[in-house]
Amino acid sequence: MPEGPSILLFSEDFHMLVGQVVLKVSGAAKLDKKQLKGQTLKQVKTWGKHFLFCFEDLTLQVHLLLFGKYYINNKRTTKPKLSLKFSNDEVNFYATSQKLLPADLDEVYDWSADVLSIHWNAAAARKKLKQAKADTIVADALLNQDVFAGVGNIIKNEVLHRARVHPASRLSALTPRKLTELVKEAANFSHDFLEWKRKNQLVKNLKVHKKKSCERDSTSIEKEYIGRTGRRAFFCPTCQKLYT
DNA sequence: CGTTTTGTTTCAGA
DNA sequence: GTCTGAAACAAAAC
C-alpha cells in the first residue's frame, strides 16, 4: 500500500509514543529484541518508505513492504511480526520487514535522496542518474530508492505523465532539459501526493494510474508490465514521448 | 474465488 | 566479485 508520502502521514500516528519506554518486545521478527527493551523513544522519523524509531542507543527501521499494516493499542488474531509494548501504549506490526540500525542515522541514510526531505537535492539525484547503466529505462530509474527514496509505482506513473515521457524511454536518451524536469517532478508530485492524501483526495487527482483516458487528448491509457521488476506502467501513448 | 497489487530482499546460477 | 531473474514473503481489495 504505501509510498513515501503515505509513510510520512502514517508516521504521525507514532508521535504519541515519543518519550515512552519499551517494556516488552515480541513477535516473529528475527531481530535482537533485547536491544530494544528498556530504551526510550526519542523521535520518529522517516526516510523514503522507512519508518525510523529513534532510541538512545539504536534505531528501529520498519518497512511496510507491499502489504504491511500496524495497529496502535489494537491487534489481529494472527501473531504480529513485531510487537512493542511501551509504557502506556502498544504497537503491533504485521507483514513488515524490520531491522536494527545505529543511533547515528547519518551513517546509514543519504537524506538528499528522500524526495520529501528538506534535504532533498535535485542536482544530486540528477548526477546519480547520469551515472546509471546505459540501458536503464526511466520507469526503473524512478523506482530506484537510492535516487528517489519514497517514490513508488503510482508516483512513477504520474511523474512520467506530467513530464510527458513514455515509461520505457531510455534514461540516457532524454534531453538534458527533460531529465531535469523529471527529477523536479519526482519531488513536486510527491509533495502533491502528500497533500492530496492528507485531504483524502488522492485518487481523484491521479491522471494516469488506473485511469481509462488521458485528459489532454482523450487517448486511451495503456497498461504494460515494464522494467526490471515488471511493475505496472500506465501511460498515454499520444502525449508521452518515447525516447530511445 | 482467482487475480492483482502503492515493495524489497535473498539467493541460485551465469 | 557482479549481475540477473526468480522466488519468497504476505494480506486484502477487486
Side-chain angles (χ1 to χ4, degrees), chain A residues 165-219:
Chain A
V165 175
H166 189 292
S169 295
R170 275 184 43 213
L171 191 58
S172 58
L174 296 182
T175 61
R177 183 170 295 196
K178 202 43 105 172
L179 184 64
T180 302
E181 185 185 347
L182 204 65
V183 170
K184 193 173 145 204
E185 283 303 338
N188 275 353
F189 184 83
S190 296
H191 283 280
D192 290 344
F193 185 124
L194 176 64
E195 290 317 309
W196 290 331
K197 181 89 181 173
R198 205 189 281 282
K199 293 185 277 188
N200 261 321
Q201 296 174 351
L202 177 65
V203 173
K204 77 173 190 191
N205 280 293
L206 299 182
K207 303 294 186 192
V208 276
H209 191 86
K210 293 171 91 170
K211 295 291 169 186
K212 291 287 172 238
S213 79
C214 178
E215 282 177 15
R216 292 188 182 122
D217 48 35
S218 300
T219 304

Side-chain angles (χ1 to χ4, degrees), chain A residues 11 79 106:
Chain A
S11 74
K79 185 178 182 180
D106 293 344

Side-chain angles (χ1 to χ4, degrees), chain A residues 3-240:
Chain A
E3 304 195 13
S6 303
I7 295 299
L8 188 59
L9 288 178
F10 289 156
S11 74
E12 296 172 4
D13 293 341
F14 299 125
H15 288 171
M16 60 187 286
L17 301 171
V18 171
Q20 296 193 39
V21 179
V22 179
L23 302 181
K24 190 179 173 196
V25 187
S26 57
K30 285 184 213 141
L31 112 189
D32 188 2
K33 303 187 178 76
K34 292 192 301 292
Q35 290 194 53
L36 287 170
K37 200 171 168 183
Q39 293 281 318
T40 301
L41 185 64
K42 294 294 177 191
Q43 205 182 350
V44 180
K45 301 195 212 182
T46 64
W47 178 87
K49 301 164 191 166
H50 297 184
F51 289 125
L52 299 167
F53 296 88
C54 307
F55 297 95
E56 295 118 315
D57 300 337
L58 77 173
T59 305
L60 170 67
Q61 174 209 94
V62 179
H63 197 305
L64 296 187
L65 301 174
L66 205 46
F67 313 120
K69 288 276 189 318
Y70 63 86
Y71 298 82
I72 296 174
N73 296 326
N74 213 335
K75 60 172 95 171
R76 290 185 185 162
T77 49
T78 55
K79 185 178 182 180
K81 196 69 177 290
L82 184 65
S83 174
L84 297 178
K85 194 171 183 187
F86 287 87
S87 321
N88 302 318
D89 300 291
E90 178 180 307
V91 54
N92 295 300
F93 294 101
Y94 299 83
T96 52
S97 83
Q98 47 280 307
K99 127 185 0 177
L100 297 178
L101 301 175
D104 182 6
L105 292 174
D106 293 344
E107 290 175 21
V108 183
Y109 289 107
D110 173 5
W111 303 102
S112 81
D114 184 340
V115 289
L116 292 177
S117 169
I118 52 163
H119 303 294
W120 160 252
N121 185 332
R126 197 182 190 286
K127 198 168 169 184
K128 290 175 196 165
L129 293 180
K130 296 296 270 183
Q131 292 160 358
K133 283 207 338 238
D135 60 348
T136 302
I137 65 169
V138 292
D140 283 338
L142 278 165
L143 291 174
N144 184 344
Q145 301 298 295
D146 294 332
V147 185
F148 301 106
V151 170
N153 207 37
I154 296 175
I155 296 174
K156 172 198 84 179
N157 284 325
E158 295 293 326
V159 166
L160 289 170
H161 183 259
R162 270 196 184 178
R164 302 181 187 238
V165 175
H166 189 292
S169 295
R170 275 184 43 213
L171 191 58
S172 58
L174 296 182
T175 61
R177 183 170 295 196
K178 202 43 105 172
L179 184 64
T180 302
E181 185 185 347
L182 204 65
V183 170
K184 193 173 145 204
E185 283 303 338
N188 275 353
F189 184 83
S190 296
H191 283 280
D192 290 344
F193 185 124
L194 176 64
E195 290 317 309
W196 290 331
K197 181 89 181 173
R198 205 189 281 282
K199 293 185 277 188
N200 261 321
Q201 296 174 351
L202 177 65
V203 173
K204 77 173 190 191
N205 280 293
L206 299 182
K207 303 294 186 192
V208 276
H209 191 86
K210 293 171 91 170
K211 295 291 169 186
K212 291 287 172 238
S213 79
C214 178
E215 282 177 15
R216 292 188 182 122
D217 48 35
S218 300
T219 304
S220 290
I221 299 298
E222 290 188 10
K223 179 177 80 169
E224 271 182 46
Y225 292 85
I226 271 181
R228 203 173 52 78
T229 52
R231 303 296 301 275
R232 284 194 302 183
F234 293 91
F235 60 94
C236 170
T238 306
C239 72
Q240 292 180 247

